[in-house]
Amino acid sequence: MSRPRIVIVGAGFAGYRTARTLSRLTRHQADITLLNPTDYFLYLPLLPQVAAGILEPRRVSVSLSGTLPHVRLVLGEADGIDLDGHTVHYTGPEGEEGTLPFDRLVLAAGSVNKLLPIPGVAEHAHGFRGLPEALYLRDHVTRQVELAAAADDRAECAARCTFVVVGAGYTGTEVAAHGAMYTDAQVRKHPMRTGMRPRWMLLDVAPRVMPEMDERLSRTAERVLRQRGVDVRMGTSVKEATHDGVVLTDGSTVDTRTLVWCVGVRPDPLVESLGLPMERGRLLVDPHLQVPGRPELFACGDVAAVPDLNQPGQYTPMTAQHAWRHGKVCAQNVAASLGIGERRAYRHRDMGFVVDLGGAKAAANPLGLPMSGPAAGAVTRGYHLAAMPGNRVRVAADWLLDAVLPRQAVQLGLVRSWSVPLESSSPEVARVPGGPERHGKAAGPAGQRPDGEETGNQPGGESAKGQPGGESAKGQPGGEPAKGQPGGEPAKNQPGGEPAKEQPGGEPAKSQPGGEPAGRRSHGGRAKGGQSGSPRASGKPRRAVEAAGPRPAREGSGKPGRAPRASGAGSAGKRPTAPSGPSRSAGPPTDPGPEPPANQPPPGPDIAPGPVKRTDRRAAEGDS
């Protein structure tokens, strides 16, 4: 008799804990498969310290294969679930497709950035949900301070060293607190010519900082922020974002080049495609984390609306503490469904919260006891070390080195602005040129900031066009993309578009070896999921194929539960054509000459260069 097959979608706090506990409980009596876009578990609470240069990225990422030796790891993103056929369809990191059969399915896909219908935010703001976003913010803040220090104009200097954080919750508060310390340390070594200092702003419509936590913690956090010079504005948010600043709801305008979006999260849109009962975007489950009427389906973490037995009529909030505890209970109930152990209902006890504010400052209330200052800092870091499933010694070593050595304020430029769009269904994965698309409606930024960073189009003067509910302007998410913009019909000579003749990867001149190719090469990719209004949220399992240009439609797939998924930025239900010949380019590239194309964006610190020439006269593959 074959062993039961258990598939876990997602390796966040809930998915990782489920896999680890199931591996221990089943003891090789079941085949456990973990499907995740990355090969690591990310310890999110320490992500602000990565952006501030305290911890290296690998310190907060725990290897899945190294810590889950009896669990099969499959890299990919689930983009279609057939509950009746008991299969999960996924797309791998290089665009390959696969199917995983299951007898028990655990949905722990986590959450993505929460968006609001505010003009310009999707194009000009960046979230803070994954390692790529943290690395980008670290480089971006470092670059802005360096450019501000070299600027002679006071207005430009003030705009570059002004950093706006929207959302005064757990994440936004820590980002502002650590960011202020980081920029102050930079300016202390290299003062600005104009005598100005970095300015951090923390905005939220709530009446106080961290409104979901104890009021004493809020007062402690706000006091520390104001002592560091952070401009805390409660009851205020962003009304409109542009390429050179933001307009606030109180009518004031702030010139800035940095907008960090930390207003909250929403469940991964994957669960919307199942057509099952939902509660504010989360899948309804019983106290045993099982979907009613589907004995083979379990859900936990941010995608599950779990009844709070301590507060009847309420659901447990979307926090890491609950997700971690969900995972353990879910694993026990999955094992019980296979005849191993007994079922148990999820019931929690509030153990308190900890907020690391940088340095020796923190706010904590372990077991309901409010603390502040160095004592709270020690408790906070001790809790994180105890909660981390790995890398404890390395994290402690980085903390020790940060206490005795100055931080290395350098920008590596490894993550570009267009690689981490705010509208992304996979914030944990950075976009790469020519790779599968993993964003939602926004196909990436389309314009360019004065400092060289790509941004989206600036909202136009007419309120209807490009705004939610109105006629979408060309080049705006949801509208008809403009030619030459990401997600639309790419201009010639642009990456991902129809290459110009005699360019690498394009149609070679007829006199060149290789002849005329049989068809146009396409460089589009696949999206993990769309936003509200896409076929993914229509109640049926679907998957999207996003195209950068015209492609032939795929028909007659013959697989149940896999209707074509559409993305707002690309063509629906289309697949790329295969290139002719065994090589990736139809003919050897020729030198395009020293003059760049007219529609090619000028090089800047956030522009990815074109294909690199190699000695064998073929364009180099991979992320250029």
Side-chain angles (χ1 to χ4, degrees):
M1 181 177 179
S2 61
R3 296 186 298 181
R5 299 162 299 184
I6 304 173
V7 174
I8 304 171
V9 178
F13 279 90
Y16 180 86
R17 186 78 182 276
T18 301
R20 193 171 73 169
T21 307
L22 265 176
S23 177
R24 176 177 55 84
L25 292 176
T26 57
R27 298 180 182 274
H28 307 287
Q29 299 179 41
D31 293 329
I32 305 173
T33 301
L34 181 61
L35 177 64
N36 197 58
T38 63
D39 64 347
Y40 59 84
F41 158 75
L42 177 63
Y43 190 76
L44 272 171
L46 294 182
L47 201 58
Q49 298 191 26
V50 175
I54 300 175
L55 297 176
E56 290 302 315
R58 286 185 295 179
R59 304 296 184 257
V60 299
S61 52
V62 179
S63 170
L64 296 178
S65 57
T67 56
L68 302 174
H70 304 299
V71 176
R72 176 194 175 202
L73 173 63
V74 176
L75 293 180
E77 299 182 23
D79 52 17
I81 298 176
D82 183 3
L83 294 178
D84 296 330
H86 284 210
T87 57
V88 176
H89 183 273
Y90 69 92
T91 302
E94 297 181 354
E96 68 277 12
E97 300 180 3
T99 302
L100 297 175
F102 64 84
D103 298 305
R104 298 291 185 273
L105 175 63
V106 178
L107 291 179
S111 55
V112 297
N113 292 312
K114 181 181 179 180
L115 300 178
L116 299 177
I118 300 176
V121 166
E123 295 82 13
H124 303 286
H126 289 282
F128 201 80
R129 289 290 300 164
L131 271 180
E133 293 170 322
L135 292 176
Y136 167 75
L137 182 62
R138 177 176 172 178
D139 277 2
H140 173 78
V141 170
T142 305
R143 177 170 56 255
Q144 295 308 309
V145 173
E146 292 171 348
L147 293 175
D152 295 323
D153 181 63
R154 289 185 62 86
E156 180 186 356
C157 179
R160 292 193 181 280
C161 63
T162 299
F163 308 96
V164 179
V165 180
V166 184
Y170 185 98
T171 302
T173 300
E174 287 196 338
V175 168
H178 283 280
M181 290 188 65
Y182 181 60
T183 54
D184 284 346
Q186 284 185 266
V187 176
R188 196 178 302 119
K189 297 178 184 178
H190 305 286
M192 299 183 182
R193 297 184 187 182
T194 57
M196 303 185 68
R197 298 191 63 83
R199 175 192 181 195
W200 283 79
M201 297 182 64
L202 182 61
L203 313 175
D204 203 308
V205 295
R208 58 185 174 90
V209 174
M210 297 190 301
E212 69 278 4
M213 299 184 184
D214 185 84
E215 189 173 352
R216 287 169 291 188
L217 290 182
S218 297
R219 289 198 301 265
T220 299
E222 184 171 350
R223 183 177 66 252
V224 173
L225 290 172
R226 294 191 183 278
Q227 288 174 352
R228 292 181 183 166
V230 178
D231 185 1
V232 181
R233 298 192 186 184
M234 295 293 99
T236 306
S237 188
V238 174
K239 182 179 180 182
E240 181 182 0
T242 65
H243 71 286
D244 55 1
V246 294
V247 179
L248 305 184
T249 53
D250 60 7
S252 60
T253 301
V254 178
D255 294 334
T256 181
R257 301 293 189 269
T258 307
L259 181 59
V260 187
W261 194 254
C262 301
V263 298
V265 295
R266 62 185 180 88
D268 191 288
L270 171 68
V271 296
E272 298 175 358
S273 66
L274 300 179
L276 298 174
M278 310 284 290
E279 172 63 29
R280 294 187 178 182
R282 294 195 284 174
L283 194 61
L284 276 174
V285 298
D286 60 21
H288 299 92
L289 307 180
Q290 195 169 21
V291 177
R294 289 285 181 176
E296 78 283 1
L297 181 59
F298 295 79
C300 54
D302 290 349
V303 298
V306 182
D308 191 341
L309 299 182
N310 295 329
Q311 300 180 17
Q314 303 293 324
Y315 298 95
T316 58
M318 298 167 60
T319 62
Q321 291 87 343
H322 280 289
W324 187 252
R325 299 167 186 171
H326 286 176
K328 180 179 180 180
V329 175
C330 184
Q332 292 173 338
N333 292 335
V334 171
S337 70
L338 300 175
I340 304 173
E342 297 181 356
R343 293 205 313 167
R344 54 170 293 193
Y346 177 74
R347 187 184 297 272
H348 74 282
R349 179 189 175 192
D350 190 359
M351 304 294 291
F353 290 90
V354 293
V355 181
D356 192 329
L357 300 174
K361 301 294 181 67
N365 62 344
L367 302 177
L369 178 64
M371 302 177 64
S372 61
V379 170
T380 298
R381 296 202 168 183
Y383 167 79
H384 287 315
L385 285 180
M388 288 195 68
N391 296 344
R392 296 186 181 94
V393 175
R394 291 184 173 92
V395 170
D398 275 5
W399 282 342
L400 178 61
L401 292 176
D402 180 70
V404 298
L405 297 176
R407 298 183 195 175
Q408 295 177 299
V410 294
Q411 47 168 325
L412 302 178
L414 299 179
V415 181
R416 314 288 183 168
S417 175
W418 55 266
S419 300
V420 284
L422 182 62
E423 282 189 290
S424 172
S425 58
S426 296
E428 68 274 12
V429 180
R431 294 174 56 199
V432 296
E437 303 292 346
R438 293 180 173 87
H439 54 87
K441 291 186 297 182
Q448 196 172 19
R449 286 183 178 172
D451 61 358
E453 296 183 38
E454 296 94 340
T455 64
N457 293 338
Q458 185 173 350
E462 298 183 42
S463 58
K465 293 187 177 182
Q467 303 299 334
E471 177 185 353
S472 300
K474 292 186 178 183
Q476 295 291 343
E480 178 184 352
K483 293 186 178 182
Q485 303 295 345
E489 179 182 348
K492 295 184 178 181
N493 300 339
Q494 293 289 351
E498 178 187 354
K501 294 183 179 182
E502 300 185 7
Q503 295 294 335
E507 179 182 356
K510 294 184 177 180
S511 59
Q512 297 291 337
E516 183 176 351
R520 181 182 302 168
R521 174 80 180 272
S522 177
H523 295 266
R526 169 183 300 275
K528 174 184 174 183
Q531 304 296 332
S532 178
S534 69
R536 179 171 189 163
S538 64
K540 297 180 180 180
R542 295 169 180 245
R543 59 186 178 85
V545 176
E546 180 172 359
R551 300 176 183 179
R554 179 184 181 184
E555 299 179 357
S557 61
K559 296 185 180 181
R562 288 178 52 196
R565 292 167 47 206
S567 174
S571 304
K574 298 182 180 180
R575 297 181 58 84
T577 57
S580 59
S583 64
R584 299 182 66 89
S585 57
T590 59
D591 190 355
E595 283 290 324
N599 54 1
Q600 181 77 18
D606 252 330
I607 296 291
V612 181
K613 281 193 171 183
R614 307 198 314 182
T615 55
D616 57 358
R617 300 185 62 82
R618 287 180 58 191
E621 301 175 9
D623 186 358
S624 55

